[in-house]
């Protein structure tokens, strides 16, 4: 019985997977027992499936374009507004200010690609931000002014004031279509302008020589007088 068991153990000891593990489990040393050739161990079905499941290497993905594919008009407008806020607030270090000229062309191209999808708020905010960043690119300003003229009637009082301030800040006279649309939109918001917005609109009208009609000037003066603090 012991000899039969040891023979089985020796056969197992000779298996390639167990060769070199030391003494046998029975504690008897191996003597003059050479390796006995055994049939290859049978593989269970899941091992066969795993061995045959050779997957092709993954295809390399093309880099996702940052401009303009990943960014929608809201993202683009937000980039312009954040950049302008950093510059106006003086929160950019001198080293960052040196890098700003390299960023502006990319922002310009991004705005031009998304401008056909802009709403009135994005148009006003982007024009205001372009003025704060001193972006005087003719093509960009021309497209922004065209969009502003088309959407001026939909703008809020703040939007109208932002457009007026931007044009005055850049010293860019608006084309006739935008001038008429801006004066008309401002006339409809005289009672809703804040004091600052009213001042921006009046400053732009004078600086850009918009030549508003007399009734427009009268409405502006009345609105300004109503917002002036009363003297004690």
């Amino acid at each position: 019985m012991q000899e039969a068991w040891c023979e089985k153990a020796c056969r197992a000891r000779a298996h390639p997977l167990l060769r070199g593990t030391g003494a046998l489990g029975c504690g008897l040393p191996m003597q003059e027992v050479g390796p006995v050739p055994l049939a290859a161990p049978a593989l269970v079905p899941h091992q066969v499936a795993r061995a045959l499941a050779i997957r092709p290497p993954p295809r390399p993905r093309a880099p996702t374009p940052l401009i303009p594919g990943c960014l929608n008009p809201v993202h683009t407008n937000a980039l312009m507004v954040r950049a302008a806020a950093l510059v106006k607030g003086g929160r950019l270090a001198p080293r960052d200010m040196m890098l700003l000229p390299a960023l502006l062309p990319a922002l310009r191209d991004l705005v031009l690609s998304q401008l056909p999808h802009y709403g009135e708020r994005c148009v006003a905010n982007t024009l205001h931000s372009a003025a704060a960043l001193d972006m005087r690119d003719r093509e960009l300003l021309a497209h922004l002014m065209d969009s502003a003229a088309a959407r001026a009637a939909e703008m809020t009082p703040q939007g109208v004031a932002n457009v007026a301030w931007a044009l005055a800040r850049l010293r860019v006279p608006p084309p006739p279509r935008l001038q008429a649309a801006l004066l008309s939109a401002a006339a409809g918001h005289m009672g809703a302008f804040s004091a600052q917005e009213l001042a921006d609109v009046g400053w732009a009208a004078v600086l850009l020589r918009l030549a508003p009609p007399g009734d427009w000037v009268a409405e502006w003066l009345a609105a300004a007088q109503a917002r002036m603090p009363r003297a004690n």
Side-chain angles (χ1 to χ4, degrees):
M1 179 71 71
Q2 186 176 3
E3 294 178 359
W5 186 89
C6 289
E7 183 181 357
K8 293 181 180 180
C10 290
R11 289 176 178 273
R13 178 67 177 79
H15 194 281
L17 296 178
L18 299 177
R19 188 176 299 150
T21 58
L24 294 176
C26 63
L28 298 178
M30 289 185 63
Q31 297 178 356
E32 299 180 359
V33 179
V36 179
L38 298 177
L43 296 177
V44 295
H46 76 275
Q47 291 176 324
V48 176
R50 185 181 302 172
L52 295 178
I54 302 176
R55 299 180 181 178
R59 296 180 180 178
R61 295 183 179 180
T64 303
L66 177 62
I67 299 175
C70 291
L71 303 177
N72 60 32
V74 176
H75 298 147
T76 305
N77 176 64
L79 282 175
M80 289 287 293
V81 171
R82 298 298 186 274
L86 289 174
V87 172
K88 288 180 64 178
R91 287 176 284 178
L92 285 181
R95 181 179 179 182
D96 296 328
M97 288 295 293
M98 293 177 63
L99 296 176
L100 190 61
L103 174 65
L104 295 184
L107 285 176
R108 167 196 174 277
D109 294 342
L110 185 58
V111 170
L112 289 175
S113 68
Q114 296 288 347
L115 194 55
H117 311 290
Y118 267 25
E120 71 282 353
R121 182 177 180 181
C122 289
V123 171
N125 287 346
T126 299
L127 190 52
H128 183 274
S129 300
L133 293 169
D134 202 26
M135 297 175 67
R136 299 178 180 272
D137 182 86
R138 292 183 178 180
E139 182 182 3
L140 175 64
L141 293 178
H143 282 83
L144 283 172
M145 288 191 292
D146 286 344
S147 297
R151 296 185 175 275
E154 307 169 15
M155 291 182 182
T156 63
Q158 183 181 8
V160 174
N162 282 347
V163 172
W165 179 90
L167 297 176
R169 170 70 174 75
L170 293 171
R171 304 296 197 272
V172 177
R177 182 188 176 200
L178 177 56
Q179 178 175 336
L182 195 60
L183 290 175
S184 176
H189 292 309
M190 285 297 182
F193 281 136
S194 67
Q196 182 61 55
E197 293 165 355
L198 197 64
D200 289 342
V201 170
W203 175 57
V206 173
L207 186 65
L208 299 175
R209 299 181 179 181
L210 300 183
D215 55 348
W216 190 99
V217 176
E219 290 180 11
W220 186 90
L221 289 173
Q225 185 177 6
R227 285 161 179 74
M228 291 177 62
R230 295 182 179 181
N232 294 329

